[in-house]
Amino acid sequence: MKFFVDTANLEEIREANDMGVLDGVTTNPSLVKKEGNIDFHEHVFTICDIVDGDVSAEVTATEFDGMMDEARTLAQIADNVVVKIPLIKEGIKALKACSEEGIRTNCTLCFSPTQALIAAKAGANYISPFIGRIDDISSNGMELIEEICQIYDNYGFETEVLAASIRHPTHVKRAALAGADVATMPFDTMMKLLNHPLTDRGLERFLDDWEDYEASRKAEAGMAK
């Protein structure tokens, strides 16, 4: 499974990248807004320079011509830019056109298997089902991931399933078990993947035992003199 960090914060991206497990970045207009008064295209360029993997940058137009104008501009920023396009009728048209022009795409705001099916048929490189938002309305976000993976396997679609709107480590685990190709998550969630009380307890015990060992060695050396 690929790990993407879902943020536009450069410090978080650098720290995740330094861990050596970061495969890409996803951004959206809301995440960009959090970074304050920045130049969007320059910011995307900087992210692409930090990360070797795919960096998703989202269009804001909602009609075909505007989407295509933005997609072409974003694709020119760097080779690893992937253009995020919303799963609406005009977006499906744009996915198809981008595929024909060699512009790689991430179809976002997916909430049903049939949406994912039509996005794959239109040529999306990634599909982004939103797990957490499905859970928020008392439905089963993980069931959506499982169903999309099954449909794509049934028909050999090359579109990668990118589990999005991840809220906690259990989402990551279950997405991996379901066969999702990618999990994109907030930086804080990625850090939580490392946490386990038995790891903390074991490390504390090892360090305490080592301290006792060194103390006893020093004591023996003193007695020998």
Side-chain angles (χ1 to χ4, degrees), residues 11 78 96 108 118 198 212:
E11 183 178 341
K96 181 64 173 177
T108 189
I118 198 167
L198 292 180
D212 291 344

Side-chain angles (χ1 to χ4, degrees), residues 194-212:
L194 296 167
N195 296 340
H196 197 285
L198 292 180
T199 300
D200 298 337
R201 193 180 308 166
L203 180 59
E204 183 180 0
R205 178 174 178 178
F206 289 157
L207 293 176
D208 287 344
D209 287 345
W210 184 255
E211 186 176 335
D212 291 344

